[in-house]
Amino acid sequence: MQQTRKKTILKAAVCLVLLAAALIGLRNQQYLLTLLNFVCMYMISVSGLDILFGYSGQISLGHAAFYASGAYTSALLTTKLGVPVWLAIPAACLVSLALGIIVALPASKLIHHFLALLTISVGQLVYILISRASFTNAMTGIRSIPNIPLFGYELKSKYFFLIFMILMVALFLIIKQCIIHSRVGRAFQAIRENPVAAGGIGINVQKYKIMAFAISAVYTGFAGAMYAHFVGFISPETFTSAQSVMFMTMLLFGGMGSFSGPLIGAAIVTFLNETLQVLGSYRMMVYGAFILAVLLFLPHGISGLIDIVKQSLFKNRGKEDRHADA
Amino acid sequence: MLTLDQATIQFGGLTAVDHVSFTVEKGQIFGVIGPNGAGKTTLFNLVSGVHKLTSGSIRFLDKEISGLEPYRIAESGIARTYQNINLFSNLSVLENVKIGRHIQSRSGLAAAIFRTPAQRREEAAIQDKCMELLTFMGLESKADLPAKNLSYGEQRRLEIARAMASEPQLLLLDEPAAGMNSTEKVELTEMIRNIRNMGITILLVEHDMKLVMKVTDLITVLNFGKMIALDTPQKVQNNPEVISAYLGGGIDA
Amino acid sequence: MVISLIIGALMIGSVYGMLALGYSLIYSASGLMTFTQGQLLMIGAFLGMQFYKVWGLPFLAAFLLTVLIMFLFGMLLEKCLIRVLLNKGAVSIYIVLSTIGISIILPNLAQALWGSQTIQVPSIFGVTTVKILGVSVQPESLLVIAVGLIAMVLLHLFMTKSRFGISMRAAAMDPLAASSLGINVSLTTGLTWAIAAALAGGIGVLLGPVYGVSTGMGDIIGNKGFAGAVIGGYGNMYGAIAGSLLLGFVETFVAGYITTTYKDFVSFFLLIIVMIFLPRGLFKAKVYDSD
Amino acid sequence: MKKWLSLILALTLALSLASCGGGNDSGSGSADTSGGIDSSSDANSGEAIKIGLYTPLTGSSALVGTQEQNGVNLAVKQINDAGGINGREVTVIAYDDQFSAEGAVKVVTRLIETDHVNAIVGSMSSGNIMATADMVEEAQILELGCGTSPSWTNCGYQYVFRGTQNSASFNAGIIELMEAMGATRLGTLTASTEWATNGWAAIKPALEDTSIEVVMETDYMAGDTDFSGQVTKLINAGLDAVLIYGGTEELGIICKQLRQNGYEGYIYGPETMSPVEVREVAGDAANDSFFACGYLIPDDIESAANDAERAFLEAYVAEYGEMPISDTAYRGYDSVMLLAEVFRTAKSMEGPDMREALLNVSYTGIGGEFDYSDGSGDGLESCGLYAIQNGKNIPFSSYQK
């Protein structure tokens, strides 16, 4: 026990040093800083999706709805009602939480195919609402969303925003790990593995499904709020089903039900998308083929691949948070 | 402790359990036997809430439990195992048992996120209790393996361990010996007795007559959903109606 | 006004219905879901345009040729992707995601081949409008309704009367038993994907002269067809048609009498309501059950 | 434990990506170096001048985006063929903004920060221009946007200009057309895009001073193909005028559905009605429609409105083998030609100097004379009134009832 703790601390220190070095090196790389900020948002959002799909076994192809609810709540509160940013962000999380619960009430009774369809429909509904309603400025979108003030100082610089985002990613990941390795997290995994047995052992399946949806919605909603404050402008085109599919692609590519999967997936898919810009109008074709390739050749994502490599290297026994049913 | 009163369930036109009444007293090992398709597993599903009664009642500790959701019934102190093993197969053996502690622990989401001292104490207690149970079931060396990597007999024992983790007052065992070899069966017999000696009442569905006759205090026999006998093992063995039911239906066909 | 709304609703309902039939067939035969139908419709429309307008084939020939190609394409899709994934032991949700991958590729492929502008397809008939009960109607709309009707009747006969159809239904009900009876289950499921693709492609050809052909034409229609299938009772052929027609009517009449802004909102809301309160759709009694 | 290992892996991966992405500033992106490499040998050459372009290249708006790209590439090719600008070659770096604000933010940052472009030709999506305007302002990079929505000029931007007309002038033109044709009962069908909803929002209040009554307002989702509900509703409202404020993709189908369901009044539309695509899809149904626009694509080169347009069309057809389909090709072309003029006259390649040069620029393009001296951001105010008759776009003045 003591030994492993020392190891963990050592590894954490190595990571921190690397991170610090990376940050110093990136100071003036504005484009990369922008991308990394997006990567951080995606990491939070995809981690949320992982709690729902990877750990609780419930698919969502409508997470753009929560991304939108977070972004729009925070943007509307700060621009139209003058609410301070630090109140608007929790409010955005709360609204996303509420939306998550509303979606989950019917969703918790459906099996996967119909769940997929329901979440797609919810995504469509939210998109139609924000692109039509006058209070969201319809297609015009919302401009001049304030930046995040921190210690009386606005996070205008992408560099400081990134540092803030990294802290947020760390916070949300720690929370995710705490949840996963608790009674609640075990209930989630029990439901994913076998809902009948989970009910038989005293787990209120519906309640925990709703809880998973709600937590997931908060993660994605928070990421949405960050998006709004980072870019300063939001409009409905960001919140289409393509966004939901992208979150799912990141999760699949990184690997579900793992700590590192969402992180790897968010980073690689973001950079891949940017690299594919070279292809101009052929870009989306390659992106689609990429999804197929992941499904065909990397069903457990990159983190699954790492696991396999590690297992053959170290003959490590026990796989802690991996499920391998695909 | 558990009382079935005219319990009946129909699927379409078929009456799977037909006006069955019996009472299980505290501390008993109560057997349910019958030919294939007699309605034994359906009876279990009724008690554990998977199916809802068409008519009649099921009372547990003087409270009506029929119609409750399965998790409510589990909370009231009934745990079960499954004929076709229902483990959380990709999770580790230890985690399977830990999930069994669900209703015996309290920490919610907030406690988990903030890692409150109470939550950490509880987690430590869960860990200890579960390792204790695994030791009791002889699975302690496999604690970190995924449940699906266990042998058939081990998986059955794990199911019992998981059920035991919820500290039930009544344990429903659905064919625990199925697929076990004879040494495992002997161990199982011992285990069932030990469980009873811990003060847990047991309702047992089993095909293996030798085992049933050895451990049970009282046996009820079902045939085509109807109860045809309720007696001690010795008397049931000599009951002509039971014999003809088994001959007619082909015992263990 | 009512009459033109009814004709409009029947026409768009038939379009949704043809797609919904495909979704339902696949689901009932293999328990799988696909999201490609809308994009297959788009590909069909482009192929039909290529044969009819560019190569100058007679419309009927263009139609039949497209249906044949789409049939083969559906078979290929099943053999080269779905079957491969299933053989690798993929869970069914991976199949859904793979069809999403396909539906990202197809429109971009079409854009690369045919460009991104809307391409007009010349009218099939000499006249541009016919009068029905005093209302002007485009004859192609009537053709869509008629073809929809014929396809449904043919499919009904095929599923209930032909040996192949019966074995397909058997395979759907119990694949293990069916294969032990000598029914080629993989062939029959492949066939459902092929028929689904042919239906989508066929209706796409017919839509060409009505809407013009563009890469985005399948996006919304595909989703609506799916909604129609669910509303009718997923996996039920007759439900798929009924649900799609209902959706067509609701949508057209909502746009006609209540709101055009929230027309699609109402459709998706209806879908969610059905999923919550009637999860098995309007046609609860399944003709052949797979669950 | 594996989590730490993989975290390190992820980080190093990100870092390596970072270093390769940031390292070579010049080569990344789809550098559409059209034509002449030979100009680099010029004595005065130095580095190439980089123009950034972001616009939708995939998805439902790919048509207008790729047409804009064609216009831009053509202009750059002509400039380079003529020896570049002060001996320096011009290159284009084009990215797909996916018609979404999020996509635009990413690629515009890349254009500014990684590719270090000297100037930007902006998206045809006004929403995306707005989403990125603050970044462009902060970086002091001159941008000529190709959207026509009024919402992003006259609002104080120092570096964001419009390389084409403001649709406000088209909106006035549409009202003029309606009044001239004696419209009394108007119904509308508006697309759910930023440009269309704001366009209609600008026209509506102006109608109060006229004798035109707005009887019915309907709208549709961009990408829709079935309009039977809306069309039936409009026809039954007893209208003599229908204004379709929507994209080229849908205009033809809507005209067709209106006529086929028996509408006999006049149809009015914005600049998106000019492309031949509308008339091809709608056929005869497009006749008796009226629209206002800045650039009118003629059906053939011979009927070009002026010499500048004829020269442009000849070059375009020579390059791409077909006539432009959307007027965004004109917009992209004019924008690059304007930028070239700015590059030639500016004191330096610094933002403030370029802005100064643009304010004083004198350039006559296909669309007419550009004049940015009022600092509003708009520089072109030409607006023509047109009608469709016998399947052809004709000046409104020669329309015969």
Side-chain angles (χ1 to χ4, degrees):
Chain A
M1 211 59 182
Q2 204 59 39
Q3 198 66 34
T4 56
R5 173 154 295 184
K6 260 188 191 164
K7 262 189 184 169
T8 314
I9 292 170
L10 190 74
K11 281 174 181 170
V14 172
C15 280
L16 274 176
V17 170
L18 273 174
L19 199 65
L23 279 175
I24 292 165
L26 286 175
R27 238 202 122 105
N28 293 314
Q29 302 280 351
Q30 293 293 317
Y31 168 57
L32 270 169
L33 286 175
T34 306
L35 283 191
L36 288 174
N37 270 302
F38 277 111
V39 168
C40 287
M41 291 166 207
Y42 297 151
M43 279 176 174
I44 294 176
S45 180
V46 176
S47 295
L49 187 60
D50 191 33
I51 293 177
L52 184 68
F53 188 39
Y55 285 98
S56 316
Q58 293 176 276
I59 193 165
S60 166
L61 289 173
H63 252 49
F66 304 126
Y67 202 54
S69 67
Y72 269 90
T73 307
S74 206
L76 286 172
L77 285 178
T78 48
T79 57
K80 297 219 166 159
L81 299 176
V83 175
V85 174
W86 283 109
L87 283 178
I89 293 173
C93 294
L94 278 179
V95 170
S96 304
L97 177 94
L99 182 65
I101 293 174
I102 292 170
V103 175
L105 282 173
S108 58
K109 291 178 184 155
L110 297 173
I111 56 158
H112 42 263
H113 287 135
F114 293 94
L115 189 60
L117 185 61
L118 179 88
T119 49
I120 289 175
S121 310
V122 168
Q124 290 279 354
L125 282 187
V126 169
Y127 174 74
I128 295 170
L129 195 69
I130 58 175
S131 63
R132 295 307 182 84
S134 53
F135 73 95
T136 61
N137 287 0
M139 293 304 282
T140 310
I142 300 170
R143 275 182 65 188
S144 309
I145 304 164
N147 220 297
I148 298 176
L150 203 64
F151 308 120
Y153 173 82
E154 274 201 1
L155 289 178
K156 269 219 166 114
S157 129
K158 296 186 175 95
Y159 186 65
F160 288 114
F161 203 97
L162 180 63
I163 292 174
F164 172 71
M165 282 308 296
I166 289 175
L167 292 176
M168 287 298 114
V169 171
L171 176 70
F172 275 86
L173 281 177
I174 290 170
I175 293 177
K176 181 185 166 196
Q177 289 310 97
C178 285
I179 293 173
I180 295 311
H181 295 291
S182 76
R183 175 170 171 267
V184 176
R186 284 194 297 269
F188 288 166
Q189 293 171 72
I191 292 168
R192 175 192 76 201
E193 291 290 316
N194 193 326
V196 173
I201 205 68
I203 293 169
N204 184 344
V205 174
Q206 204 184 348
K207 174 180 142 190
Y208 281 94
K209 278 184 170 180
I210 292 172
M211 204 188 272
F213 246 108
I215 296 171
S216 183
V218 169
Y219 272 68
T220 304
F222 178 81
M226 290 299 110
Y227 167 73
H229 292 293
F230 177 68
V231 176
F233 172 89
I234 52 172
S235 65
E237 291 101 340
T238 305
F239 308 98
T240 57
S241 60
Q243 187 76 269
S244 304
V245 171
M246 190 182 80
F247 289 150
M248 190 48 86
T249 309
M250 287 173 169
L251 181 58
L252 285 176
F253 181 64
M256 289 189 291
S258 66
F259 172 82
S260 54
L263 310 186
I264 299 173
I268 296 187
V269 174
T270 306
F271 282 99
L272 187 84
N273 259 328
E274 289 306 304
T275 317
L276 290 183
Q277 280 284 353
V278 182
L279 300 174
S281 35
Y282 296 97
R283 197 172 55 85
M284 291 308 284
M285 232 191 306
V286 178
Y287 178 64
F290 172 75
I291 295 179
L292 290 186
V294 169
L295 290 170
L296 280 169
F297 306 114
L298 269 181
H300 300 301
I302 290 285
S303 79
L305 195 69
I306 293 173
D307 272 5
I308 295 166
V309 171
K310 274 186 65 183
Q311 272 182 355
S312 57
L313 279 182
F314 305 115
K315 295 264 182 280
N316 226 351
R317 70 196 184 99
K319 307 202 294 170
E320 23 185 340
D321 14 71
R322 167 129 314 273
H323 78 119
D325 60 343
Chain B
M1 177 171 219
L2 177 76
T3 307
L4 275 74
D5 186 12
Q6 302 292 321
T8 304
I9 184 169
Q10 290 174 324
F11 296 113
L14 183 83
T15 308
V17 172
D18 196 353
H19 296 92
V20 170
S21 305
F22 60 81
T23 298
V24 182
E25 298 295 343
K26 189 168 170 53
Q28 271 181 341
I29 298 178
F30 192 100
V32 180
I33 61 170
N36 272 345
K40 305 178 301 279
T41 294
T42 311
L43 187 77
F44 262 35
N45 285 342
L46 283 175
V47 175
S48 62
V50 176
H51 297 320
K52 308 268 180 279
L53 280 179
T54 310
S55 67
S57 83
I58 301 176
R59 299 174 68 77
F60 178 65
L61 298 173
D62 294 325
K63 272 187 301 201
E64 182 68 39
I65 58 165
S66 68
L68 291 181
E69 289 293 317
Y71 77 93
R72 289 259 177 228
I73 293 174
E75 280 172 355
S76 72
I78 299 178
R80 69 170 292 185
T81 66
Y82 299 85
Q83 185 185 348
N84 50 340
I85 298 171
N86 264 333
L87 283 170
F88 308 120
S89 45
N90 289 304
L91 299 182
S92 75
V93 168
L94 180 61
E95 277 172 315
N96 267 274
V97 186
K98 279 185 169 179
I99 291 166
R101 291 298 290 167
H102 188 82
I103 58 171
Q104 289 300 332
S105 42
R106 289 279 79 83
S107 299
L109 191 59
I113 293 173
F114 296 111
R115 292 249 152 182
T116 58
Q119 192 259 1
R120 276 190 279 181
R121 270 198 304 281
E122 192 178 89
E123 280 296 309
I126 291 173
Q127 172 82 19
D128 294 347
K129 174 77 187 174
C130 291
M131 283 314 291
E132 194 183 297
L133 269 169
L134 284 178
T135 313
F136 179 72
M137 283 292 163
L139 290 169
E140 73 277 15
S141 62
K142 317 248 166 161
D144 291 329
L145 289 181
K148 63 181 176 195
N149 289 12
L150 297 185
S151 73
Y152 203 67
E154 286 170 336
Q155 294 199 4
R156 291 232 174 260
R157 293 213 300 273
L158 177 55
E159 268 211 328
I160 298 174
R162 182 180 67 186
M164 294 277 292
S166 69
E167 294 179 26
Q169 288 173 289
L170 174 66
L171 179 61
L172 314 182
L173 299 177
D174 198 348
E175 302 202 16
M180 284 187 172
N181 59 33
S182 49
T183 30
E184 283 177 323
K185 278 180 186 168
V186 173
E187 284 169 16
L188 181 72
T189 316
E190 203 50 41
M191 248 170 229
I192 292 174
R193 287 207 180 108
N194 284 340
I195 293 170
R196 193 258 305 270
N197 293 342
M198 294 162 82
I200 297 172
T201 313
I202 293 171
L203 186 61
L204 173 72
V205 163
E206 186 50 69
H207 264 308
D208 188 307
M209 284 303 147
K210 236 164 68 187
L211 192 144
V212 176
M213 296 303 160
K214 226 186 275 174
V215 297
T216 53
D217 302 314
L218 217 55
I219 290 177
T220 182
V221 187
L222 294 184
N223 193 21
F224 295 114
K226 286 198 176 67
M227 204 168 85
I228 55 172
L230 172 62
D231 225 322
T232 58
Q234 291 77 14
K235 289 192 180 158
V236 162
Q237 266 176 308
N238 303 320
N239 184 321
E241 206 179 337
V242 174
I243 293 165
S244 79
Y246 269 95
L247 287 176
I251 208 160
D252 270 344
Chain C
M1 175 150 174
V2 179
I3 293 165
S4 31
L5 282 181
I6 289 176
I7 293 172
L10 275 176
M11 135 127 195
I12 196 72
S14 308
V15 173
Y16 297 160
M18 288 301 100
L19 297 190
L21 264 181
Y23 290 123
S24 269
L25 270 176
I26 290 174
Y27 188 67
S28 61
S30 47
L32 296 173
M33 275 195 184
T34 166
F35 281 98
T36 51
Q37 289 293 87
Q39 305 309 334
L40 293 176
L41 175 142
M42 180 270 305
I43 293 288
F46 269 106
L47 288 176
M49 184 277 299
Q50 182 74 25
F51 299 145
Y52 176 55
K53 184 184 175 183
V54 183
W55 293 354
L57 297 182
F59 187 79
L60 188 67
F63 176 79
L64 292 176
L65 195 57
T66 307
V67 169
L68 179 71
I69 291 176
M70 292 310 291
F71 184 88
L72 294 175
F73 182 77
M75 204 117 196
L76 200 73
L77 190 66
E78 201 268 352
K79 280 278 164 298
C80 297
L81 181 70
I82 309 300
R83 184 67 37 200
V84 175
L85 276 170
L86 285 175
N87 287 345
K88 288 191 166 203
V91 289
S92 54
I93 213 69
Y94 274 45
I95 307 288
V96 172
L97 292 168
S98 74
T99 62
I100 290 178
I102 292 283
S103 60
I104 292 176
I105 296 175
L106 288 180
N108 287 286
L109 185 71
Q111 188 190 326
L113 290 176
W114 286 288
S116 48
Q117 68 269 42
T118 308
I119 301 170
Q120 166 267 350
V121 180
S123 179
I124 313 166
F125 303 103
V127 286
T128 48
T129 53
V130 288
K131 286 260 180 193
I132 290 184
L133 301 168
V135 208
S136 311
V137 185
Q138 192 180 357
E140 280 88 354
S141 316
L142 299 177
L143 184 68
V144 170
I145 300 174
V147 170
L149 210 69
I150 294 168
M152 200 187 136
V153 172
L154 281 180
L155 208 60
H156 167 78
L157 292 177
F158 176 72
M159 293 305 269
T160 50
K161 297 283 186 290
S162 81
R163 229 180 70 84
F164 222 97
I166 293 167
S167 57
M168 256 167 82
R169 286 166 57 201
M173 271 185 266
D174 190 343
L176 229 69
S179 64
S180 70
L181 287 173
I183 293 167
N184 186 339
V185 177
S186 116
L187 182 69
T188 53
T189 51
L191 201 64
T192 55
W193 287 80
I195 294 177
L199 282 169
I203 209 78
V205 182
L206 297 179
L207 281 184
V210 184
Y211 293 153
V213 178
S214 66
T215 54
M217 68 187 291
D219 301 354
I220 293 180
I221 295 179
N223 276 343
K224 296 286 179 59
F226 206 119
V230 173
I231 291 171
Y234 211 82
N236 179 327
M237 253 171 62
Y238 310 97
I241 297 280
S244 303
L245 286 175
L246 177 75
L247 188 66
F249 271 91
V250 167
E251 213 175 79
T252 313
F253 278 78
V254 163
Y257 286 107
I258 306 169
T259 163
T260 52
T261 311
Y262 292 103
K263 179 184 95 167
D264 291 332
F265 192 87
V266 173
S267 319
F268 284 109
F269 198 71
L270 175 73
L271 172 66
I272 290 181
I273 294 295
V274 167
M275 276 198 283
I276 297 171
F277 296 106
L278 286 170
R280 300 187 66 184
L282 300 175
F283 276 55
K284 274 186 198 164
K286 287 190 175 183
V287 177
Y288 38 92
D289 210 329
S290 64
D291 58 4
Chain D
M1 293 317 97
K2 69 154 198 276
K3 54 185 77 153
W4 290 110
L5 195 86
S6 34
L7 191 67
I8 293 171
L9 195 108
L11 269 172
T12 41
L13 199 99
L15 269 176
S16 59
L17 274 168
S19 50
C20 72
N24 53 349
D25 282 350
S26 51
S28 53
S30 64
D32 277 301
T33 42
S34 318
I37 317 148
D38 45 353
S39 58
S40 60
S41 57
D42 282 21
N44 211 5
S45 64
E47 246 185 278
I49 296 175
K50 282 182 268 186
I51 296 178
L53 168 69
Y54 68 97
T55 199
L57 298 177
T58 58
S60 59
S61 297
L63 169 68
V64 274
T66 47
Q67 288 281 307
E68 182 186 347
Q69 193 184 14
N70 284 349
V72 166
N73 287 342
L74 178 64
V76 167
K77 182 175 190 291
Q78 290 184 351
I79 292 167
N80 285 334
D81 286 350
I85 293 168
N86 304 330
R88 289 172 71 181
E89 193 195 357
V90 178
T91 59
V92 180
I93 299 170
Y95 295 127
D96 177 18
D97 70 16
Q98 295 162 268
F99 204 45
S100 93
E102 186 167 343
V105 167
K106 286 178 192 159
V107 294
V108 172
T109 319
R110 186 166 176 181
L111 286 174
I112 296 174
E113 307 293 350
T114 304
D115 301 325
H116 300 294
V117 294
N118 300 95
I120 294 176
V121 174
S123 181
M124 48 61 61
S125 154
S126 291
N128 287 354
I129 295 173
M130 282 193 280
T132 53
D134 288 337
M135 297 159 42
V136 174
E137 286 288 300
E138 202 183 320
Q140 302 194 333
I141 303 274
L142 192 67
E143 170 173 353
L144 285 176
C146 286
T148 60
S149 172
S151 46
W152 50 275
T153 46
N154 294 303
C155 55
Y157 288 135
Q158 296 293 299
Y159 294 93
V160 181
F161 292 84
R162 196 191 305 275
T164 181
Q165 301 94 340
N166 184 326
S167 63
S169 56
F170 307 154
N171 294 337
I174 293 172
I175 298 173
E176 201 184 320
L177 282 167
M178 288 188 208
E179 288 195 290
M181 293 308 297
T184 53
R185 293 174 60 79
L186 173 71
T188 65
L189 184 49
T190 314
S192 62
T193 62
E194 187 274 334
W195 160 80
T197 43
N198 285 339
W200 167 234
I203 293 179
K204 196 180 171 188
L207 288 175
E208 281 168 19
D209 304 332
T210 69
S211 54
I212 303 167
E213 184 196 354
V214 181
V215 181
M216 176 162 289
E217 293 177 56
T218 64
D219 49 20
Y220 69 91
M221 199 88 172
D224 262 357
T225 45
D226 174 53
F227 309 95
S228 44
Q230 288 96 323
V231 161
T232 312
K233 203 170 166 180
L234 287 169
I235 289 171
N236 282 275
L239 308 168
D240 57 15
V242 171
L243 168 64
I244 312 171
Y245 218 114
T248 303
E249 309 85 85
E250 297 108 7
L251 263 170
I253 307 170
I254 297 174
C255 285
K256 193 170 166 185
Q257 291 192 8
L258 269 173
R259 295 295 187 206
Q260 280 174 338
N261 284 279
Y263 175 68
E264 283 164 0
Y266 296 122
I267 298 173
Y268 303 88
E271 70 268 26
T272 42
M273 205 168 225
S274 71
V276 65
E277 194 185 343
V278 172
R279 279 163 287 140
E280 272 187 3
V281 172
D284 289 343
N287 286 338
D288 300 315
S289 304
F290 305 89
F291 59 93
C293 74
Y295 300 108
L296 181 81
I297 304 169
D299 291 345
D300 45 57
I301 299 177
E302 286 68 45
S303 31
N306 53 43
D307 291 343
E309 185 176 26
R310 185 167 302 118
F312 164 73
L313 288 174
E314 275 165 3
Y316 192 97
V317 172
E319 182 72 20
Y320 301 107
E322 57 175 10
M323 294 283 280
I325 300 161
S326 162
D327 72 319
T328 49
Y330 287 62
R331 302 184 204 170
Y333 182 86
D334 266 350
S335 297
V336 173
M337 286 304 186
L338 260 171
L339 284 177
E341 206 50 44
V342 169
F343 292 142
R344 279 192 198 102
T345 54
K347 282 205 245 17
S348 76
M349 293 300 246
E350 297 300 316
D353 287 337
M354 300 229 300
R355 172 183 151 79
E356 199 54 40
L358 182 66
L359 289 177
N360 298 315
V361 85
S362 91
Y363 166 72
T364 308
I366 319 168
E369 209 171 310
F370 286 80
D371 174 15
Y372 290 94
S373 54
D374 67 353
S376 67
D378 279 318
L380 182 61
E381 278 228 1
S382 65
C383 167
L385 304 181
Y386 301 94
I388 300 177
Q389 194 165 33
N390 300 324
K392 283 203 163 70
N393 286 343
I394 56 166
F396 178 60
S397 51
S398 46
Y399 175 76
Q400 287 161 345
K401 284 198 179 180

